[in-house]
Amino acid sequence: MDVAREGVRERRRKRRLLLGLGGGAGLAAVIGFALLLEPAGPSVDRSTVVVDTVRRGELAVGARAPGTLVPVVVRRVAAAVDGRVAAIHVLPGAEVDPGTVLLTLENPALEQQVEAADLELAAAEANLVDRRVRLRREALQQRSQLASVEAEARQAALNAEADTAIHAEGIIGRLALEDSRSLAEELAARAAAEAERLRLAEAAAGAELEGEEARVNSLRAKAVLQRELASRLEVRAGIAGTLQEVAAEAGQQVTAGHDLARVAALDRLKAELRVPEAQARDIEIGQTARVDTRNGIVNGSVSRVEPAVREGAVTVDVALDGPLPRGARPDLSVDGLIEIARLPDVLQVGRPAVGREGERIELFRVGPDGRSASRVAVHLGRVSVSAVQILEGLAEGDEVVLSDPGQWAGAERIRLR
């Protein structure tokens, strides 16, 4: 016989209610605790990011830029005369001497002018010889005549002297003495006139010869110039070096002044660097530099900074001090490093993927456990090729993730595994 138990159902209902309330409170506690926890953040393989340690020491601030080797001495070979390119004897890349004939031009009109100038000079020289001989013959005749008159004058003077003596003795009369004296005076005057005529004739002959010689010299200079112009039909290098360019083709008609070739001297080269505009503002003439030719490093110094900015870069010339490595030649691609300044004792770290000089950026600093990194604001100072000065935000010994933090945008922490 079953006995009815009172209150059992009520106790079961109360127990279920208490269990439900307890489970709800536990779930609420778990949810609240989860809400209080910070997000774990994305997980990153440590081997895929760049991590560096903040250190203190000297920082060399410099600018790295690509460039090329260019010759210091470049000669543009231009046509000296009009002509047609008859032949090209040397091709670009060949080494040449100052006398190497690069091209040959043709100009028939110039060749005719040379022949005409030579003929005109020869005729003038022959005329000068003839004129000199004729004037010398006339001068000899004049001298001979003067000598004859002078001899007669001397004889007349002697006769007059003798007549004076015998007149005193009464041998000849007064009239005969006067005739003798008159003849002597007449011949003396005639001799003086002949001497003056000879002097004037010699002076005139000298002036005439000087005029003829001047004409001959003028024609000789003209002939030399014509021959010089004709010799320019053979276009020569002018300097020792490498032929870089031939700017004409066989059969092409060129005029005087037309560029025909370019020759570069190989004994002196410089580096022409293209420095980004942001790094070029602190570059000055005289700063030291190092140029990597891929086959060796050459020291140098900044010799010129172009004032204009072209395509976001400034052209900087570096004069090379030491001998060039083997294989260095014009147009060879090089890398240059210009040292701008040296900071003796600064806090520094490897150069981050983002950020420029003076900017404030955010990086991830590795925690003490080495398994996580949190975002931190960092104030950058001077920037070198591979390092950057730290002004604020980091301390010596801190480990920093240098990779671009933009790939973890929105995350305050990342996990390193």
Side-chain angles (χ1 to χ4, degrees):
M1 173 175 178
D2 294 331
V3 179
R5 290 183 294 178
E6 296 180 0
V8 173
R9 182 177 296 177
E10 185 65 22
R11 286 195 299 271
R12 289 179 178 176
R13 189 177 64 81
K14 289 181 179 180
R15 189 183 307 120
R16 289 178 185 150
L17 181 59
L18 292 174
L19 290 175
L21 292 174
L27 180 60
V30 171
I31 293 174
F33 181 75
L35 291 175
L36 293 175
L37 291 177
E38 295 183 1
S43 179
V44 180
D45 191 345
R46 190 183 182 105
S47 62
T48 62
V49 296
V50 178
V51 179
D52 193 19
T53 302
V54 179
R55 56 195 176 277
R56 182 174 293 276
E58 184 182 64
L59 176 63
V61 179
R64 184 183 295 277
T68 56
L69 291 182
V70 297
V72 177
V73 179
V74 178
R75 185 175 188 268
R76 300 293 304 188
V77 183
V81 295
D82 298 346
R84 185 180 66 85
V85 180
I88 298 175
H89 304 291
V90 184
L91 297 178
E95 294 187 4
V96 296
D97 295 325
T100 303
V101 178
L102 306 180
L103 305 94
T104 300
L105 304 180
E106 290 180 340
N107 189 332
L110 180 59
E111 295 174 358
Q112 292 178 357
Q113 292 172 6
V114 172
E115 293 180 359
D118 288 340
L119 291 175
E120 190 176 4
L121 173 61
E125 289 176 340
N127 185 54
L128 175 61
V129 172
D130 178 71
R131 185 68 59 85
R132 186 178 286 116
V133 171
R134 182 174 59 81
L135 292 175
R136 183 175 297 175
R137 183 173 60 249
E138 293 176 355
L140 289 176
Q141 292 176 353
Q142 190 72 24
R143 286 178 183 277
S144 176
Q145 186 175 353
L146 174 61
S148 177
V149 172
E150 287 178 341
E152 292 177 0
R154 285 194 298 271
Q155 185 61 42
L158 291 174
N159 291 337
E161 186 178 351
D163 289 346
T164 300
I166 63 177
H167 172 71
E169 296 177 358
I171 299 176
I172 63 173
R174 177 81 179 171
L175 183 60
L177 177 60
E178 292 295 333
D179 289 342
S180 178
R181 288 178 176 177
S182 295
L183 181 59
E185 291 175 357
E186 180 184 351
L187 290 175
R190 184 179 173 186
E194 290 295 332
E196 179 65 16
R197 185 179 299 136
L198 176 61
R199 186 186 66 80
L200 293 177
E202 288 179 344
E208 186 176 350
L209 287 178
E210 287 180 359
E212 288 296 323
E213 290 174 350
R215 181 171 178 270
V216 169
N217 291 334
S218 175
L219 293 176
R220 183 178 291 113
K222 179 181 177 181
V224 170
L225 176 61
Q226 293 295 333
R227 287 194 294 269
E228 175 66 20
L229 291 177
S231 69
R232 297 293 182 89
L233 292 173
E234 289 187 337
V235 182
R236 302 179 185 274
I239 62 172
T242 298
L243 179 62
Q244 291 190 309
E245 177 187 4
V246 176
E249 298 179 355
Q252 179 180 348
Q253 188 71 28
V254 297
T255 58
H258 183 90
D259 282 342
L260 299 178
R262 184 178 67 181
V263 181
L266 294 181
D267 55 344
R268 293 182 60 194
L269 297 178
K270 65 179 180 180
E272 195 173 82
L273 305 179
R274 299 281 296 168
V275 181
E277 179 182 1
Q279 302 180 32
R281 66 176 184 269
D282 294 326
I283 296 179
E284 298 177 355
I285 294 177
Q287 291 175 338
T288 59
R290 300 175 64 198
V291 177
D292 186 358
T293 66
R294 312 290 198 282
N295 195 30
I297 296 178
V298 185
N299 295 325
S301 60
V302 176
S303 60
R304 185 183 73 94
V305 179
E306 192 172 78
V309 178
R310 299 181 182 179
E311 299 179 359
V314 175
T315 301
V316 177
D317 290 350
V318 174
L320 304 179
D321 300 333
L324 294 174
R326 187 179 184 86
R329 62 187 62 199
D331 299 327
L332 179 69
S333 297
V334 297
D335 283 328
L337 175 60
I338 302 173
E339 185 176 298
I340 298 175
R342 283 187 175 272
L343 307 180
D345 185 24
V346 296
L347 204 61
Q348 58 183 287
V349 73
R351 188 167 179 176
V354 297
R356 294 181 297 180
E357 182 175 324
E359 286 189 342
R360 293 181 180 272
I361 64 173
E362 291 185 343
L363 297 176
F364 282 92
R365 180 172 52 194
V366 180
D369 58 357
R371 301 178 60 184
S372 63
S374 57
R375 190 181 294 270
V376 61
V378 179
H379 187 191
L380 303 181
R382 301 294 296 273
V383 177
S384 73
V385 175
S386 58
V388 60
Q389 180 185 10
I390 302 299
L391 298 179
E392 296 178 358
L394 296 175
E396 186 177 359
D398 288 347
E399 286 189 312
V400 184
V401 178
L402 302 180
S403 302
D404 186 4
Q407 56 187 313
W408 308 299
E412 293 297 323
R413 299 171 62 87
I414 59 175
R415 289 180 296 162
L416 302 175
R417 61 178 188 273

